[in-house]
Amino acid sequence: MRNAHLLIIAANAWGVSAFTTPAAFHTTGTGTSSSRLFNNVMEGTYTTLFDQVNVALGLQQTDFTATYLNGGTSWTCPMTGSKGTAEWYSESSPQFLTGVSKCSQVDVGGAEFSINVWMGPSYDVPNMLLKFGATADGSNCFVIADYVPRGATPLGSDASYSEAYYGGEVANAWNSAASIPGVTSLPPDMSMEFRTLYSPARIAFAGLTQADATNIATSHVQRFLSWVQSAPQVPARSRGSFNLRDDKLRQFYFRGEVQKNCAMFGPDLGMSVAAVS
């Protein structure tokens, strides 16, 4: 089994971050029964974390992905054999959010799962991005987790905002993850659009055990949900401009997904996968 360093080198050769596309997994495994079992275990973590988001925010599934996925929520790439699912959710009683995406990608070498929460203009809390997964045999897990800064104030100029969302517990979470024995930092995305969204607290580590990856991902979600429940309201007069800036953040994310997925799956499927991610 290749180690994390070789996986990162292989991924860089494709121009993408290690573990962030199915192509990286194609270099790591052979699709054994243990691979299928481990993917099921990871999917359980994915389901549990999404259930926590659902309970806290009261979500309902939308038909957004059906527009891009022939009426369904899944896709298959005939070129690579990779498969994925994508679901979008809104709040049953709109209050906090623009939307929540819940996506997976799986192939013979491993799996990755993502839960992204995009806030609406009424409450000033960072957006939450989370991706995690593992190689086929479960020996090498990864987590990419971030809280995307929002609003008009440059990060660092408002001490109270920086301390609330990027200091203290959040800074300690990065330090703790970086200190795990055997952990390896994942390289930045090749896409400038993706990198534009990065916060200084972004966690991006491989070489994790399943337990470590689950703990990091779970803490990331639970911390965000605690913020939402006590989130400060944005004054009504400021919400229009706040929403315009949020739209630009989502555009950057979409453009990064287009670059990544079109490179892996071709322009047709790649655009569809990017649109629902």
Coordinates of all heavy atoms in Angstrom, one line a residue, residues 35-134:
S35 N -12.2 -3.3 1.1 CA -12.5 -1.9 0.6 C -13.9 -1.6 0.8 O -14.3 -0.5 1.2 CB -12.0 -1.8 -0.8 OG -12.5 -0.6 -1.4
R36 N -14.8 -2.5 0.3 CA -16.2 -2.2 0.4 C -16.7 -2.1 1.8 O -17.5 -1.2 2.1 CB -17.0 -3.3 -0.4 CG -16.8 -3.3 -1.9 CD -17.7 -4.2 -2.6 NE -17.5 -5.6 -2.2 CZ -16.7 -6.4 -2.8 NH1 -16.0 -6.0 -3.8 NH2 -16.5 -7.7 -2.5
L37 N -16.2 -2.9 2.7 CA -16.6 -2.8 4.1 C -16.1 -1.5 4.7 O -16.9 -0.9 5.4 CB -15.9 -4.0 4.9 CG -16.2 -4.0 6.4 CD1 -17.6 -4.1 6.7 CD2 -15.4 -5.1 7.1
F38 N -14.9 -1.1 4.4 CA -14.4 0.1 5.0 C -15.2 1.3 4.5 O -15.5 2.2 5.3 CB -12.9 0.3 4.7 CG -12.4 1.5 5.5 CD1 -12.1 1.4 6.8 CD2 -12.2 2.7 4.8 CE1 -11.5 2.5 7.5 CE2 -11.7 3.8 5.5 CZ -11.4 3.7 6.8
N39 N -15.5 1.3 3.2 CA -16.3 2.4 2.7 C -17.7 2.5 3.4 O -18.2 3.6 3.6 CB -16.5 2.3 1.2 CG -15.2 2.5 0.4 OD1 -14.3 3.1 0.9 ND2 -15.1 2.0 -0.8
N40 N -18.2 1.4 3.7 CA -19.5 1.4 4.4 C -19.3 2.0 5.8 O -20.2 2.8 6.3 CB -20.1 0.0 4.6 CG -20.6 -0.6 3.3 OD1 -20.9 0.2 2.4 ND2 -20.6 -1.9 3.2
V41 N -18.2 1.8 6.5 CA -17.9 2.4 7.8 C -17.8 3.9 7.7 O -18.4 4.6 8.4 CB -16.7 1.8 8.4 CG1 -16.3 2.5 9.6 CG2 -16.9 0.3 8.7
M42 N -17.1 4.3 6.6 CA -17.0 5.8 6.4 C -18.3 6.4 6.1 O -18.6 7.5 6.5 CB -15.9 6.0 5.3 CG -14.5 5.7 5.7 SD -13.9 6.5 7.2 CE -13.9 8.2 6.6
E43 N -19.1 5.7 5.3 CA -20.4 6.2 5.0 C -21.3 6.4 6.2 O -22.1 7.3 6.3 CB -21.1 5.4 4.0 CG -22.4 6.0 3.4 CD -22.9 5.2 2.2 OE1 -22.3 4.3 1.8 OE2 -24.0 5.7 1.7
G44 N -21.1 5.5 7.2 CA -21.8 5.6 8.5 C -21.4 6.9 9.2 O -22.3 7.6 9.8
T45 N -20.1 7.3 9.2 CA -19.7 8.5 9.8 C -20.4 9.7 9.1 O -20.8 10.7 9.7 CB -18.2 8.7 9.7 OG1 -17.6 7.6 10.5 CG2 -17.7 10.0 10.4
Y46 N -20.3 9.6 7.7 CA -21.0 10.6 6.9 C -22.4 10.8 7.2 O -22.9 11.9 7.4 CB -20.7 10.2 5.5 CG -21.4 10.9 4.3 CD1 -21.3 12.2 4.0 CD2 -22.2 10.1 3.5 CE1 -21.8 12.8 2.9 CE2 -22.8 10.7 2.3 CZ -22.6 12.0 2.1 OH -23.2 12.6 1.0
T47 N -23.1 9.7 7.3 CA -24.6 9.8 7.6 C -24.8 10.3 9.0 O -25.7 11.2 9.2 CB -25.2 8.4 7.5 OG1 -25.0 7.9 6.2 CG2 -26.7 8.4 7.9
T48 N -24.0 9.9 10.0 CA -24.2 10.4 11.3 C -24.0 12.0 11.4 O -24.7 12.7 12.0 CB -23.2 9.7 12.3 OG1 -23.5 8.3 12.3 CG2 -23.3 10.3 13.7
L49 N -22.9 12.4 10.7 CA -22.7 13.9 10.8 C -23.8 14.7 10.1 O -24.2 15.7 10.5 CB -21.3 14.2 10.1 CG -20.1 13.7 10.9 CD1 -18.8 14.0 10.2 CD2 -20.1 14.2 12.3
F50 N -24.2 14.1 8.9 CA -25.3 14.8 8.3 C -26.6 14.8 9.1 O -27.3 15.8 9.2 CB -25.6 14.2 6.9 CG -26.8 14.9 6.2 CD1 -26.5 16.2 5.6 CD2 -28.0 14.4 6.2 CE1 -27.6 16.9 5.0 CE2 -29.1 15.1 5.7 CZ -28.9 16.3 5.0
D51 N -26.9 13.7 9.8 CA -28.0 13.7 10.7 C -27.9 14.7 11.8 O -29.0 15.3 12.1 CB -28.1 12.3 11.3 CG -28.6 11.2 10.3 OD1 -29.1 11.6 9.3 OD2 -28.5 10.0 10.7
Q52 N -26.8 15.0 12.3 CA -26.6 16.0 13.3 C -26.9 17.4 12.7 O -27.6 18.2 13.4 CB -25.2 16.0 13.8 CG -24.8 14.8 14.6 CD -23.4 14.8 15.1 OE1 -22.7 15.8 15.0 NE2 -22.9 13.7 15.6
V53 N -26.5 17.7 11.5 CA -26.8 18.9 10.8 C -28.3 19.0 10.6 O -28.9 20.1 10.8 CB -26.0 19.0 9.5 CG1 -26.5 20.3 8.7 CG2 -24.5 19.1 9.7
N54 N -28.9 17.9 10.1 CA -30.3 17.9 9.8 C -31.2 18.2 11.1 O -32.1 19.0 11.0 CB -30.7 16.5 9.2 CG -32.1 16.5 8.7 OD1 -32.7 17.5 8.5 ND2 -32.6 15.3 8.4
V55 N -30.8 17.5 12.2 CA -31.6 17.7 13.4 C -31.5 19.2 13.9 O -32.4 19.8 14.3 CB -31.1 16.7 14.5 CG1 -31.7 17.1 15.9 CG2 -31.5 15.3 14.1
A56 N -30.2 19.7 13.8 CA -30.0 21.1 14.4 C -30.7 22.1 13.5 O -31.2 23.2 14.0 CB -28.5 21.3 14.4
L57 N -30.8 21.9 12.2 CA -31.2 23.0 11.3 C -32.6 22.7 10.6 O -33.1 23.6 10.0 CB -30.2 23.2 10.2 CG -28.8 23.6 10.7 CD1 -27.8 23.7 9.6 CD2 -28.9 25.0 11.4
G58 N -33.1 21.5 10.8 CA -34.4 21.2 10.3 C -34.5 21.3 8.8 O -35.1 22.2 8.2
L59 N -33.9 20.3 8.1 CA -33.7 20.4 6.7 C -34.8 19.6 5.9 O -35.4 18.7 6.4 CB -32.3 19.9 6.3 CG -31.1 20.5 6.9 CD1 -29.8 19.8 6.5 CD2 -31.1 22.0 6.6
Q60 N -34.9 20.0 4.7 CA -35.7 19.3 3.7 C -35.0 19.2 2.4 O -34.3 20.1 2.0 CB -37.1 19.9 3.5 CG -37.0 21.3 2.9 CD -38.4 22.0 2.8 OE1 -39.4 21.5 3.2 NE2 -38.4 23.2 2.2
Q61 N -35.1 18.0 1.8 CA -34.4 17.8 0.5 C -35.0 18.6 -0.6 O -36.3 18.6 -0.7 CB -34.3 16.3 0.2 CG -33.4 16.0 -1.0 CD -33.1 14.5 -1.2 OE1 -33.5 13.7 -0.3 NE2 -32.4 14.1 -2.2
T62 N -34.2 19.1 -1.5 CA -34.7 19.9 -2.7 C -34.6 19.0 -3.9 O -33.9 18.0 -3.9 CB -34.0 21.2 -2.8 OG1 -32.7 20.9 -3.3 CG2 -33.9 22.0 -1.5
D63 N -35.1 19.5 -5.0 CA -35.0 18.8 -6.3 C -33.9 19.4 -7.2 O -33.8 19.2 -8.4 CB -36.3 18.8 -7.1 CG -36.8 20.2 -7.4 OD1 -36.1 21.2 -7.0 OD2 -37.8 20.3 -8.1
F64 N -33.0 20.2 -6.5 CA -31.9 20.9 -7.3 C -31.1 20.0 -8.1 O -30.8 20.2 -9.3 CB -31.1 21.7 -6.3 CG -29.9 22.4 -7.0 CD1 -30.0 23.5 -7.7 CD2 -28.6 21.9 -6.8 CE1 -29.0 24.1 -8.4 CE2 -27.5 22.5 -7.4 CZ -27.7 23.6 -8.2
T65 N -30.6 18.9 -7.5 CA -29.7 18.0 -8.3 C -30.4 17.3 -9.4 O -29.7 16.9 -10.4 CB -29.1 16.9 -7.3 OG1 -30.1 16.1 -6.8 CG2 -28.3 17.6 -6.2
A66 N -31.7 17.1 -9.4 CA -32.4 16.4 -10.5 C -32.2 17.2 -11.8 O -32.2 16.5 -12.9 CB -33.9 16.3 -10.1
T67 N -32.0 18.5 -11.7 CA -31.9 19.3 -12.9 C -30.6 18.9 -13.7 O -30.6 18.9 -14.9 CB -31.8 20.8 -12.6 OG1 -33.0 21.1 -11.9 CG2 -31.7 21.6 -13.8
Y68 N -29.6 18.5 -13.0 CA -28.3 18.2 -13.6 C -28.0 16.7 -13.7 O -27.1 16.3 -14.4 CB -27.2 18.9 -12.7 CG -27.3 20.4 -12.7 CD1 -28.0 21.0 -11.6 CD2 -26.7 21.2 -13.7 CE1 -28.1 22.4 -11.6 CE2 -26.9 22.5 -13.6 CZ -27.6 23.1 -12.6 OH -27.7 24.5 -12.6
L69 N -28.7 15.9 -13.0 CA -28.4 14.4 -12.9 C -29.6 13.6 -13.4 O -29.9 12.6 -12.9 CB -28.1 14.0 -11.5 CG -26.9 14.7 -10.8 CD1 -26.7 14.3 -9.4 CD2 -25.6 14.5 -11.7
N70 N -30.2 14.0 -14.5 CA -31.2 13.3 -15.2 C -32.3 12.9 -14.3 O -32.8 11.7 -14.3 CB -30.6 12.0 -15.9 CG -29.6 12.4 -16.9 OD1 -29.8 13.3 -17.7 ND2 -28.5 11.7 -17.0
G71 N -32.7 13.8 -13.4 CA -33.8 13.5 -12.5 C -33.5 12.8 -11.2 O -34.4 12.5 -10.4
G72 N -32.2 12.5 -11.0 CA -31.9 11.7 -9.9 C -30.9 12.4 -9.0 O -30.7 13.6 -9.0
T73 N -30.2 11.6 -8.1 CA -29.2 12.1 -7.2 C -27.8 11.4 -7.3 O -27.0 11.5 -6.4 CB -29.7 12.0 -5.8 OG1 -30.0 10.6 -5.5 CG2 -31.0 12.8 -5.6
S74 N -27.6 10.7 -8.4 CA -26.4 9.9 -8.5 C -25.8 10.0 -9.9 O -26.5 10.4 -10.9 CB -26.6 8.4 -8.2 OG -27.5 7.8 -9.1
W75 N -24.5 9.7 -10.0 CA -23.9 9.8 -11.3 C -22.8 8.7 -11.4 O -22.3 8.2 -10.4 CB -23.2 11.2 -11.6 CG -22.3 11.6 -10.5 CD1 -22.6 12.4 -9.4 CD2 -20.9 11.3 -10.4 NE1 -21.5 12.6 -8.6 CE2 -20.4 12.0 -9.2 CE3 -20.0 10.6 -11.2 CZ2 -19.1 11.9 -8.8 CZ3 -18.7 10.5 -10.8 CH2 -18.2 11.2 -9.6
T76 N -22.4 8.3 -12.6 CA -21.3 7.4 -12.9 C -20.5 7.9 -14.0 O -21.0 8.4 -15.0 CB -21.9 6.0 -13.2 OG1 -22.7 5.5 -12.2 CG2 -20.8 5.0 -13.5
C77 N -19.2 7.8 -13.9 CA -18.3 8.2 -14.9 C -17.8 6.9 -15.7 O -17.1 6.1 -15.2 CB -17.0 8.9 -14.4 SG -15.9 9.4 -15.7
P78 N -18.3 6.7 -17.0 CA -17.8 5.5 -17.7 C -16.4 5.5 -18.0 O -15.8 4.4 -18.2 CB -18.7 5.6 -19.0 CG -19.0 7.1 -19.1 CD -19.2 7.6 -17.7
M79 N -15.7 6.7 -18.0 CA -14.3 6.8 -18.3 C -13.4 6.2 -17.2 O -12.4 5.5 -17.4 CB -13.9 8.2 -18.6 CG -12.5 8.4 -18.9 SD -12.1 10.1 -19.5 CE -12.6 11.1 -18.0
T80 N -13.8 6.5 -15.9 CA -13.0 6.1 -14.8 C -13.7 5.0 -13.9 O -13.0 4.4 -13.1 CB -12.7 7.3 -13.9 OG1 -14.0 7.8 -13.3 CG2 -12.1 8.5 -14.6
G81 N -15.0 4.8 -14.0 CA -15.7 3.9 -13.2 C -16.1 4.5 -11.8 O -16.7 3.8 -11.0
S82 N -15.7 5.8 -11.6 CA -16.1 6.4 -10.4 C -17.6 6.6 -10.3 O -18.3 6.8 -11.4 CB -15.4 7.8 -10.3 OG -14.0 7.6 -10.3
K83 N -18.1 6.6 -9.1 CA -19.6 6.9 -8.9 C -19.7 7.9 -7.8 O -18.9 8.0 -6.9 CB -20.3 5.6 -8.5 CG -20.2 4.5 -9.6 CD -20.9 3.2 -9.1 CE -20.9 2.1 -10.2 NZ -21.6 0.9 -9.8
G84 N -20.8 8.6 -7.9 CA -21.1 9.6 -6.8 C -22.6 9.8 -6.6 O -23.4 9.4 -7.4
T85 N -22.8 10.5 -5.5 CA -24.2 11.0 -5.2 C -24.1 12.4 -4.8 O -23.1 12.9 -4.3 CB -24.8 10.2 -4.0 OG1 -24.0 10.4 -2.8 CG2 -24.8 8.7 -4.3
A86 N -25.2 13.1 -5.0 CA -25.3 14.5 -4.6 C -26.7 14.9 -4.2 O -27.6 14.6 -4.9 CB -24.8 15.4 -5.7
E87 N -26.9 15.5 -3.0 CA -28.2 15.9 -2.6 C -28.0 17.3 -2.0 O -27.0 17.7 -1.4 CB -28.7 15.0 -1.4 CG -28.9 13.6 -1.9 CD -29.2 12.6 -0.7 OE1 -29.3 13.1 0.4 OE2 -29.2 11.4 -0.9
W88 N -29.1 18.2 -2.3 CA -29.1 19.5 -1.7 C -30.3 19.7 -0.8 O -31.4 19.1 -1.1 CB -29.2 20.5 -2.9 CG -27.8 21.0 -3.3 CD1 -27.0 20.4 -4.2 CD2 -27.1 22.2 -2.8 NE1 -25.8 21.1 -4.3 CE2 -25.9 22.2 -3.5 CE3 -27.5 23.2 -2.0 CZ2 -25.0 23.2 -3.3 CZ3 -26.5 24.2 -1.8 CH2 -25.3 24.2 -2.4
Y89 N -30.1 20.4 0.3 CA -31.2 20.6 1.3 C -31.3 22.1 1.6 O -30.4 22.9 1.5 CB -30.8 19.9 2.5 CG -30.8 18.4 2.4 CD1 -29.7 17.7 1.8 CD2 -31.9 17.6 2.8 CE1 -29.7 16.3 1.7 CE2 -31.9 16.2 2.7 CZ -30.8 15.6 2.1 OH -30.8 14.2 2.0
S90 N -32.6 22.4 1.9 CA -32.9 23.8 2.5 C -33.5 23.6 3.8 O -33.9 22.5 4.2 CB -33.8 24.5 1.5 OG -35.0 23.9 1.4
E91 N -33.7 24.7 4.5 CA -34.4 24.6 5.8 C -35.9 24.5 5.6 O -36.5 25.1 4.7 CB -34.1 25.8 6.7 CG -32.7 26.0 7.1 CD -32.4 27.3 7.8 OE1 -32.3 28.3 7.0 OE2 -32.3 27.4 9.0
S92 N -36.6 23.7 6.4 CA -38.0 23.6 6.3 C -38.7 24.9 6.7 O -39.7 25.3 6.1 CB -38.5 22.5 7.3 OG -38.0 21.2 6.9
S93 N -38.1 25.6 7.7 CA -38.5 26.9 8.1 C -37.3 27.8 7.9 O -36.5 27.9 8.8 CB -39.0 26.9 9.5 OG -40.1 26.1 9.7
P94 N -37.2 28.5 6.8 CA -36.0 29.3 6.5 C -35.6 30.3 7.5 O -36.5 31.1 8.0 CB -36.3 30.0 5.1 CG -37.4 29.1 4.5 CD -38.2 28.6 5.7
Q95 N -34.4 30.2 8.0 CA -33.9 31.2 9.0 C -32.4 31.5 8.8 O -32.0 32.6 8.7 CB -34.1 30.6 10.4 CG -33.6 31.5 11.5 CD -33.9 30.9 12.9 OE1 -34.4 29.8 13.0 NE2 -33.6 31.7 13.9
F96 N -31.6 30.4 8.8 CA -30.1 30.6 8.8 C -29.4 30.5 7.4 O -28.4 31.1 7.2 CB -29.5 29.6 9.7 CG -29.9 29.7 11.2 CD1 -30.7 28.8 11.8 CD2 -29.4 30.8 11.9 CE1 -31.1 28.9 13.1 CE2 -29.8 30.9 13.3 CZ -30.6 30.0 13.8
L97 N -29.9 29.6 6.5 CA -29.1 29.0 5.5 C -29.5 29.5 4.1 O -30.7 29.9 3.8 CB -29.2 27.5 5.5 CG -28.9 26.8 6.8 CD1 -29.1 25.3 6.6 CD2 -27.5 27.1 7.3
T98 N -28.5 29.4 3.2 CA -28.8 29.4 1.7 C -29.0 27.9 1.3 O -29.9 27.6 0.5 CB -27.6 30.0 1.0 OG1 -27.5 31.3 1.3 CG2 -27.8 29.8 -0.5
G99 N -28.2 27.0 1.8 CA -28.4 25.6 1.5 C -27.3 24.7 2.0 O -26.3 25.2 2.5
V100 N -27.5 23.4 2.0 CA -26.6 22.4 2.4 C -26.4 21.3 1.3 O -27.4 20.8 0.8 CB -27.1 21.7 3.7 CG1 -26.1 20.6 4.1 CG2 -27.3 22.7 4.8
S101 N -25.2 21.0 1.0 CA -24.9 20.0 0.0 C -24.3 18.8 0.8 O -23.6 18.9 1.7 CB -23.9 20.4 -1.0 OG -22.7 20.8 -0.5
K102 N -24.7 17.6 0.3 CA -24.3 16.3 0.8 C -23.9 15.4 -0.3 O -24.7 15.0 -1.1 CB -25.4 15.7 1.6 CG -25.2 14.3 2.2 CD -26.5 13.9 3.0 CE -26.3 12.5 3.6 NZ -26.9 11.5 2.7
C103 N -22.5 15.2 -0.5 CA -22.0 14.5 -1.7 C -21.1 13.4 -1.3 O -20.4 13.4 -0.3 CB -21.3 15.5 -2.6 SG -22.3 16.9 -3.1
S104 N -21.0 12.4 -2.2 CA -20.0 11.3 -2.0 C -19.4 11.0 -3.4 O -20.1 11.1 -4.4 CB -20.7 10.1 -1.4 OG -21.6 9.5 -2.3
Q105 N -18.2 10.4 -3.4 CA -17.6 9.9 -4.5 C -16.9 8.6 -4.1 O -16.2 8.6 -3.1 CB -16.6 10.8 -5.2 CG -17.2 12.0 -5.8 CD -16.2 12.9 -6.5 OE1 -15.1 12.5 -6.8 NE2 -16.5 14.1 -6.8
V106 N -17.1 7.5 -4.9 CA -16.5 6.2 -4.5 C -16.0 5.5 -5.8 O -16.6 5.6 -6.8 CB -17.6 5.3 -3.8 CG1 -17.0 3.9 -3.5 CG2 -18.2 6.0 -2.6
D107 N -14.9 4.9 -5.7 CA -14.4 4.0 -6.7 C -13.7 2.8 -6.1 O -13.7 2.6 -4.9 CB -13.6 4.7 -7.8 CG -12.2 5.1 -7.4 OD1 -11.8 4.8 -6.3 OD2 -11.6 5.8 -8.2
V108 N -13.0 2.0 -6.9 CA -12.4 0.8 -6.4 C -11.3 1.0 -5.4 O -10.9 0.2 -4.6 CB -11.8 -0.1 -7.5 CG1 -12.9 -0.6 -8.4 CG2 -10.8 0.7 -8.4
G109 N -10.7 2.3 -5.4 CA -9.6 2.6 -4.5 C -10.0 3.2 -3.2 O -9.1 3.2 -2.3
G110 N -11.2 3.7 -3.0 CA -11.5 4.4 -1.8 C -12.8 5.3 -2.0 O -13.5 5.1 -2.9
A111 N -12.9 6.1 -1.0 CA -14.2 7.0 -1.0 C -13.9 8.3 -0.3 O -13.0 8.5 0.5 CB -15.3 6.3 -0.2
E112 N -14.7 9.3 -0.7 CA -14.6 10.6 -0.1 C -16.1 11.1 0.1 O -16.9 10.8 -0.7 CB -13.8 11.6 -0.8 CG -14.4 12.1 -2.2 CD -13.6 13.2 -2.8 OE1 -12.3 13.1 -2.8 OE2 -14.2 14.1 -3.3
F113 N -16.3 11.9 1.1 CA -17.6 12.4 1.5 C -17.5 13.8 1.8 O -16.5 14.3 2.4 CB -18.2 11.6 2.6 CG -18.2 10.1 2.4 CD1 -17.2 9.3 2.9 CD2 -19.2 9.5 1.7 CE1 -17.1 8.0 2.7 CE2 -19.2 8.1 1.5 CZ -18.2 7.3 2.0
S114 N -18.5 14.6 1.5 CA -18.5 16.0 1.8 C -19.9 16.5 2.3 O -20.9 16.0 1.9 CB -18.1 16.9 0.6 OG -19.0 16.9 -0.4
I115 N -19.8 17.4 3.3 CA -21.0 18.2 3.8 C -20.6 19.6 3.8 O -19.7 20.0 4.6 CB -21.4 17.7 5.2 CG1 -21.7 16.2 5.2 CG2 -22.6 18.5 5.7 CD1 -21.9 15.6 6.6
N116 N -21.3 20.4 3.0 CA -21.0 21.9 3.0 C -22.3 22.6 3.4 O -23.3 22.3 2.9 CB -20.6 22.3 1.6 CG -19.2 21.7 1.2 OD1 -18.4 21.4 2.0 ND2 -19.0 21.6 -0.1
V117 N -22.1 23.6 4.3 CA -23.2 24.4 4.8 C -23.0 25.9 4.4 O -22.0 26.5 4.9 CB -23.4 24.3 6.3 CG1 -24.7 25.1 6.7 CG2 -23.6 22.8 6.7
W118 N -23.8 26.4 3.6 CA -23.7 27.8 3.1 C -24.8 28.6 3.8 O -26.0 28.4 3.7 CB -23.9 27.9 1.6 CG -22.9 27.1 0.8 CD1 -23.1 25.8 0.3 CD2 -21.6 27.5 0.4 NE1 -21.9 25.4 -0.3 CE2 -21.0 26.4 -0.3 CE3 -20.9 28.7 0.6 CZ2 -19.7 26.5 -0.8 CZ3 -19.6 28.8 0.1 CH2 -19.1 27.7 -0.6
M119 N -24.3 29.6 4.6 CA -25.1 30.4 5.4 C -25.9 31.5 4.5 O -25.4 31.8 3.4 CB -24.3 31.2 6.5 CG -23.7 30.3 7.5 SD -24.9 29.5 8.6 CE -25.7 30.9 9.4
G120 N -27.0 31.9 5.0 CA -27.8 33.0 4.4 C -27.3 34.3 4.9 O -26.5 34.4 5.8
P121 N -27.9 35.4 4.4 CA -27.5 36.8 4.8 C -28.0 37.3 6.1 O -27.6 38.4 6.5 CB -28.0 37.6 3.6 CG -29.3 36.9 3.2 CD -29.0 35.5 3.4
S122 N -28.8 36.5 6.8 CA -29.4 37.1 8.1 C -28.5 36.9 9.3 O -28.7 37.6 10.3 CB -30.7 36.5 8.3 OG -31.6 36.8 7.2
Y123 N -27.5 36.0 9.2 CA -26.7 35.7 10.4 C -25.3 35.6 10.0 O -24.9 35.0 9.0 CB -27.1 34.3 11.0 CG -28.5 34.4 11.7 CD1 -29.7 34.2 10.9 CD2 -28.7 34.7 13.0 CE1 -30.9 34.3 11.5 CE2 -29.9 34.8 13.6 CZ -31.0 34.6 12.8 OH -32.3 34.7 13.4
D124 N -24.4 36.2 10.8 CA -23.0 36.3 10.5 C -22.2 35.2 11.2 O -21.6 35.4 12.2 CB -22.5 37.7 11.0 CG -21.1 38.0 10.5 OD1 -20.6 37.2 9.7 OD2 -20.6 39.1 10.9
V125 N -22.1 34.1 10.5 CA -21.3 32.9 10.9 C -20.6 32.4 9.7 O -21.2 32.5 8.6 CB -22.2 31.8 11.5 CG1 -21.4 30.5 11.7 CG2 -22.8 32.3 12.8
P126 N -19.4 32.0 9.7 CA -18.7 31.5 8.6 C -19.4 30.3 7.9 O -20.2 29.6 8.6 CB -17.3 31.0 9.1 CG -17.1 31.8 10.3 CD -18.5 32.0 10.9
N127 N -19.2 30.2 6.6 CA -19.7 28.9 6.0 C -18.9 27.8 6.4 O -17.7 27.9 6.7 CB -19.6 29.1 4.4 CG -20.5 30.2 3.9 OD1 -21.6 30.3 4.2 ND2 -19.8 31.1 3.1
M128 N -19.5 26.6 6.4 CA -18.7 25.4 6.8 C -18.5 24.5 5.6 O -19.4 24.1 4.9 CB -19.5 24.6 7.9 CG -18.7 23.4 8.5 SD -19.7 22.2 9.3 CE -20.2 21.1 7.9
L129 N -17.2 24.1 5.4 CA -16.9 23.1 4.4 C -16.2 21.9 5.0 O -15.4 22.1 5.9 CB -15.9 23.8 3.3 CG -16.4 25.0 2.6 CD1 -15.3 25.4 1.6 CD2 -17.7 24.8 1.9
L130 N -16.6 20.7 4.6 CA -16.0 19.5 5.2 C -15.9 18.4 4.1 O -16.9 18.1 3.5 CB -16.9 19.0 6.4 CG -16.5 17.7 7.0 CD1 -15.1 17.8 7.6 CD2 -17.5 17.2 8.0
K131 N -14.8 17.9 4.0 CA -14.5 16.7 3.1 C -13.7 15.7 3.9 O -12.7 16.1 4.5 CB -13.9 17.1 1.8 CG -13.8 16.0 0.8 CD -12.9 16.4 -0.4 CE -13.5 17.6 -1.1 NZ -14.7 17.2 -2.0
F132 N -14.0 14.4 3.8 CA -13.2 13.4 4.5 C -13.3 12.1 3.7 O -14.3 11.9 3.0 CB -13.5 13.3 5.9 CG -14.9 12.8 6.2 CD1 -15.2 11.4 6.4 CD2 -16.0 13.7 6.3 CE1 -16.5 11.0 6.6 CE2 -17.3 13.2 6.5 CZ -17.6 11.9 6.6
G133 N -12.4 11.2 3.9 CA -12.5 9.9 3.3 C -11.3 9.1 3.6 O -10.5 9.4 4.5
A134 N -11.1 8.0 2.8 CA -10.0 7.1 3.1 C -9.6 6.3 1.9 O -10.4 6.1 0.9 CB -10.4 6.1 4.2

